[in-house]
Amino acid sequence: MVNAPVGSGKTTWALRHLAKKLDSPLGMLYLIDTRNGNDQIVSANSDIATYYSDTWFDKVSHGWEMFSEDLQEDKIVVMTYAKFGVLVQKDPEFAFGTVDYIICDEIHNLINFMTFGGENGEDKNWYVLAKLQLEDIVQGSGTTVIGLSATPKRAIENMDCPIAHITVDDDVFQLETKETINYSNKLLLLDEIQPGSKGLVYIQRISDMEAFCAAATERNIKAICIWSASSKNHPMTQEQLQARNHILQKQELPPQYDMVIINASSETSISIYGKVDYIIIHRSDEDTQTQVRGRYRETLQTLYVLKYDGPIRVPSEYLDRDLYTEDKNKLCALLNIHNNKGRRVGWTTIKKKLSEEGYTLTERHPGSRRCTVISL
């Protein structure tokens, strides 16, 4: 298990350096978590990496020495864990001692995808088969399985096989983020985005992605959503597919959009360079935040991360005016602050937090009803 920061060169090390130890590219199989990641790795390394083919399967299954006459034409095959599971069902002995190295990139997602079925929600069985086969290969063959991840905790806890931990240098390259801001309601962030800025947004559910995209469009932010090309329930439009292909092939956000919204299909594996001013990550778990931040391989100015019990920022329309009960309820819903039990808090808690964070609250009784004025 190699635990190294996002952007430190794990993929390059495996494909460009470790592979040099092989007598043939057929001696390495490279597994990745998502189709987007699969496509970008092959696109960026087309001289040494390629997709699965039936001919390759025959070579690996029956012993590639039988095909020595055309080994020079072969490349390292990259496939998803789901595809690996499909091939294991086809041949229970697949890759069992017939390759020298199996690289398991983003191996934490092998465990994650077993839970919710991966990119299209229907592949749980393939991930289970992939995990079991890898465990058997580790314990009963001469093949070396190498797990790569910046967040390997779940894989370490759930892989039922011996694990050797490989350390990396303390001074290994790490990505820099100049400013990290906590938020609790992503819609409020749209009012903070500066004209002309370019950003990447992570939201898990497709319906929420589309809603946020619509809200951004209403504010004259040109946005587009990208999810898995394998999704059967939500096939992407031609425009979305073109934007996806641009990201995977050019390793940059499409220039015609101010905002690109992604989900788990692009949470890992892909690399983005060029102009990105901010990233919004609408998940509170640190693993997702680490992985999504790592999609941008340069210094980032601003990172927004979800934190339901974080600092409060009151929208300007709620400052310096009388707030009655109905206004306070709307403000509480808008701020979306949660307690340690995951429940949204009410005005009593919000009022206390506002005072703690430097806001001035003035109680008034101008008529028959009481109200509160919030000021900075």
Side-chain angles (χ1 to χ4, degrees):
M1 185 70 71
V2 179
N3 177 9
V6 175
S8 59
K10 296 186 292 296
T11 299
T12 300
W13 167 76
L15 290 175
R16 299 286 176 178
H17 298 281
L18 182 61
K20 291 180 179 179
K21 297 180 178 292
L22 303 172
D23 294 329
S24 163
L26 289 172
M28 177 179 287
L29 171 59
Y30 199 104
L31 304 181
I32 190 66
D33 54 346
T34 64
R35 181 174 169 183
N36 283 350
N38 195 157
D39 289 348
Q40 188 169 80
I41 288 175
V42 172
S43 176
N45 301 277
S46 59
D47 58 320
I48 56 173
T50 189
Y51 295 100
Y52 162 86
S53 69
D54 290 338
T55 300
W56 173 88
F57 179 78
D58 289 338
K59 292 180 181 182
V60 172
S61 295
H62 300 111
W64 54 263
E65 294 89 347
M66 297 172 56
F67 299 84
S68 58
E69 69 277 0
D70 62 351
L71 288 185
Q72 69 277 7
E73 299 178 4
D74 287 303
K75 299 179 180 181
I76 297 169
V77 166
V78 184
M79 69 174 65
T80 64
Y81 290 108
K83 181 63 177 180
F84 182 71
V86 171
L87 297 179
V88 169
Q89 185 179 63
K90 181 178 179 180
D91 176 7
E93 297 297 317
F94 173 62
F96 201 93
T98 56
V99 294
D100 298 310
Y101 294 103
I102 298 178
I103 306 299
C104 297
D105 204 351
E106 310 296 358
I107 191 172
H108 59 280
N109 265 345
L110 171 60
I111 308 302
N112 293 339
F113 288 1
M114 285 172 55
T115 302
F116 63 87
E119 296 182 86
N120 60 27
E122 300 177 356
D123 294 334
K124 291 182 181 180
N125 184 53
W126 306 134
Y127 294 105
V128 172
L129 287 175
K131 175 178 178 290
L132 292 174
Q133 186 79 341
L134 289 170
E135 290 168 343
D136 287 345
I137 288 172
V138 168
Q139 301 191 69
S141 79
T143 297
T144 299
V145 178
I146 301 176
L148 306 178
S149 178
T151 54
K153 182 179 179 181
R154 291 201 69 183
I156 293 171
E157 292 175 345
N158 289 276
M159 291 298 290
D160 187 17
C161 59
I163 297 177
H165 298 272
I166 307 302
T167 59
V168 298
D169 294 339
D170 293 335
D171 61 349
V172 67
F173 174 79
Q174 298 194 49
L175 299 169
E176 178 184 356
T177 300
K178 293 186 177 180
E179 181 183 29
T180 299
I181 299 174
N182 298 325
Y183 75 94
S184 57
N185 188 327
K186 59 184 181 297
L187 291 176
L188 295 179
L189 298 179
L190 291 174
D191 297 324
E192 299 186 15
I193 295 174
Q194 298 299 314
S197 62
K198 202 172 190 70
L200 183 69
V201 180
Y202 175 90
I203 299 174
Q204 188 170 14
R205 298 177 58 183
I206 291 178
S207 58
D208 293 336
M209 294 170 70
E210 293 176 322
F212 192 72
C213 185
T217 301
E218 290 178 358
R219 292 165 172 80
N220 295 318
I221 299 171
K222 189 167 179 55
I224 191 167
C225 299
I226 304 295
W227 50 77
S228 174
S230 302
S231 177
K232 297 177 182 178
N233 295 327
H234 301 276
M236 287 191 288
T237 65
Q238 189 62 34
E239 181 183 8
Q240 288 175 296
L241 290 171
Q242 290 174 350
R244 171 187 179 271
N245 291 339
H246 183 95
I247 293 171
L248 298 183
Q249 295 171 11
K250 303 291 186 180
Q251 297 190 332
E252 65 178 14
L253 298 184
Q256 65 269 40
Y257 301 104
D258 305 315
M259 175 188 291
V260 175
I261 306 168
I262 63 172
N263 65 358
S265 67
S266 302
E267 172 188 332
T268 56
S269 310
I270 68 169
S271 300
I272 296 172
Y273 298 87
K275 178 178 172 62
V276 176
D277 300 298
Y278 64 88
I279 296 177
I280 299 172
I281 305 175
H282 198 63
R283 280 292 298 271
S284 58
D285 65 285
E286 292 185 6
D287 283 3
T288 298
Q289 292 175 358
T290 298
Q291 291 291 343
V292 176
R293 163 59 188 97
R295 295 315 98 217
Y296 182 54
R297 302 308 178 111
E298 300 184 33
T299 298
L300 179 66
Q301 179 60 44
T302 306
L303 175 65
Y304 296 96
V305 294
L306 179 63
K307 189 175 178 62
Y308 283 122
D309 60 348
I312 294 179
R313 288 178 292 169
V314 179
S316 58
E317 60 266 29
Y318 285 88
L319 294 174
D320 302 314
R321 71 176 181 89
D322 293 341
L323 300 178
Y324 294 94
T325 300
E326 58 273 21
D327 301 311
K328 297 172 186 177
N329 290 339
K330 290 180 181 178
L331 177 60
C332 289
L334 190 63
L335 295 175
N336 203 29
I337 302 297
H338 289 56
N339 60 21
N340 56 12
K341 295 182 179 179
R343 298 175 180 173
R344 193 169 68 195
V345 301
W347 173 249
T348 301
T349 301
I350 293 293
K351 179 180 177 181
K352 180 180 178 181
K353 287 180 68 68
L354 288 172
S355 296
E356 292 173 349
E357 294 183 22
Y359 288 91
T360 298
L361 286 85
T362 304
E363 302 296 333
R364 286 170 32 83
H365 199 168
S368 59
R369 302 176 65 193
R370 294 182 179 276
C371 64
T372 304
V373 178
I374 303 173
S375 303
L376 280 172

